[in-house]
Amino acid sequence: MNLNNDNFSFEELKEYLLTKKVIIFGAGKIGKSLISGLQKISISPYEVWDNNYDKYEDEIAYEVKKPNLEILNKDSFVIIVTIYSKNISEEIYLTLLKNHFNNIIYNRNVINKVLYTQCKEEINEGNFIFELNKCHLCPVSKDIENRCDIYDLNITKNFIKKDKKISNGIKIPSMGVLVSNKCNLKCIGCNQLRDKYDSSSYLDIDEKDILNDLKKLSLAVDIIEKVVIVGGESLLHKEINKILIGILEIENIGIIQLISNGTVIPKTDEIFELLNNPRIKVEISGYGDYLTKMQNEKVQIFISKLEKYNVNFDYVKTLQWFDFGNLDKRNYSKEKWQEVYNKCCFISNDLFNGQLHKCARSAFSKHLNILKDVDYVDIRNSNIEDLSRSIKLFLENTLPTICQYCNGTSSLTIPAGKQKNEKK
């Protein structure tokens, strides 16, 4: 049985897994989703491994261990690699092979099949319940090439105010709205190029411009399933409340995700009342020991506020950051260029100052005048008909210029949240 060929049936895979001791390699979002899915078919992991095992000390459901490459009776185990980066998944796969493990699943399509089929069975039995927090973490919902019809249908049914008739066939699964490039941190290797800024380059986009850009863009497409509000630090924007209210009023936008480092405590509780909306999910980027004691205390205060107002949130303490490298041109061959794009985890479709870019690296390198030839959609200077055509071509483009100036999500990683000019 070729474990990384997704042509076999779910039942065949299930029967195979029942004959082995299952080890989950990767305790992050995908690992948690898969553990939950496997437990529904009476398969509990024998062990959960993670290279960052020490960051999971307070996991309640299971113990996360350091990978044991010397484990005996290797053929009695099957290892399922649940790492988001395709490059790192492949690297782990090769490491396991070199250490004489033969039963390894690392193909994301196989993992997605387990999760998707389980949900389909629950729908057929009348037992499926759509839970945003759970479904949003599921890797199937994030698969751009093979969309999850269950997730898409429930987002449309539960969160889209006005189900527009399909007029142009354009659906944006996820897009970012970069409200500001200001941040109270200066993380080395930040994807937003934060470590390349000085105060003269700071820009808070006017909330009216943000909302007008987004409203115009929404008229050019059928549905925007998710809008991710990002900075800099998103909560530093003085009108973040108005931005949230305005986005919630756009009829063909589904859910909103607000990303914060958790160290900025809003002066009033009005923002927490807004964040309580069932269409909003907050994600806190956990930087742990790279924050000062005072900053970590603020994170805990922020979390307590979210809990007080029953806000749907995740505190992600095991972030994986990649070394995207400098902004020199790589002169990749077409094949390598395509590979960098296909394996990237950060194609975020970011709206910044009237321009729709493939990622924040593209948007901010343009803003800083580091790069001038990146491709983007000009929202403000296009009519709706032209905008629809441009967005369609933009989404179909798998060879964006910015990838020529990037390492991509390679196996080169860096500490998440380590500060520039860090003071001990």
Side-chain angles (χ1 to χ4, degrees), residues 46-58:
Y46 176 81
E47 287 186 345
V48 179
W49 293 353
D50 199 289
N51 289 330
N52 296 311
Y53 63 95
D54 54 331
K55 293 186 178 181
Y56 292 93
E57 292 177 355
D58 57 350

Side-chain angles (χ1 to χ4, degrees), residues 170-179 205 209-210 212-224 226-228 230 253 341 346-367 373-382 384 386-397 400-402:
I170 302 175
K171 178 187 288 187
I172 301 179
S174 178
M175 64 169 289
V177 175
L178 310 178
V179 297
I205 313 297
D209 289 334
I210 291 171
N212 285 337
D213 292 339
L214 198 49
K215 287 173 185 176
K216 186 174 181 181
L217 191 153
S218 73
L219 292 173
V221 303
D222 296 323
I223 289 174
I224 303 170
K226 179 174 72 173
V227 165
V228 183
V230 202
I253 288 178
Y341 180 85
F346 288 85
I347 302 163
S348 43
N349 303 320
D350 287 324
L351 177 64
F352 179 70
N353 202 21
Q355 300 172 354
L356 183 64
H357 289 257
K358 282 287 187 179
C359 62
R361 186 177 175 89
S362 173
F364 289 135
S365 63
K366 177 76 166 60
H367 170 65
D373 62 339
V374 294
D375 26 26
Y376 60 89
V377 177
D378 187 342
I379 305 297
R380 295 176 187 170
N381 296 307
S382 304
I384 299 300
D386 288 341
L387 192 54
S388 290
R389 282 195 293 267
S390 297
I391 291 173
K392 188 172 188 298
L393 291 172
F394 170 86
L395 294 172
E396 291 172 349
N397 179 19
T401 306
I402 189 62

Side-chain angles (χ1 to χ4, degrees), residues 260-297:
S260 170
N261 61 42
T263 64
V264 177
I265 311 297
K267 294 181 180 178
T268 71
D269 282 6
E270 181 186 355
I271 181 70
F272 295 102
E273 294 171 356
L274 278 172
L275 294 174
N276 174 259
N277 190 295
R279 289 172 60 197
I280 297 178
K281 180 180 177 67
V282 175
E283 181 173 301
I284 305 168
S285 303
Y287 300 140
D289 293 340
Y290 293 120
L291 299 181
T292 64
K293 181 181 178 181
M294 182 178 293
Q295 287 169 334
N296 272 312
E297 288 172 354

Side-chain angles (χ1 to χ4, degrees), residues 43 141 184 237 244 264 267 352 398:
I43 297 175
S141 71
N184 60 322
H237 197 294
L244 280 169
V264 177
K267 294 181 180 178
F352 179 70
T398 60

Side-chain angles (χ1 to χ4, degrees), residues 85 89 96 98 116 135 143 145 158 183 200 289 303 310 351 357 366 394 396 402 404:
S85 165
S89 288
L96 292 170
K98 288 177 183 177
Y116 179 80
C135 294
D143 192 331
E145 295 178 7
N158 296 322
C183 188
S200 65
D289 293 340
I303 289 173
N310 295 314
L351 177 64
H357 289 257
K366 177 76 166 60
F394 170 86
E396 291 172 349
I402 189 62
Q404 284 283 1

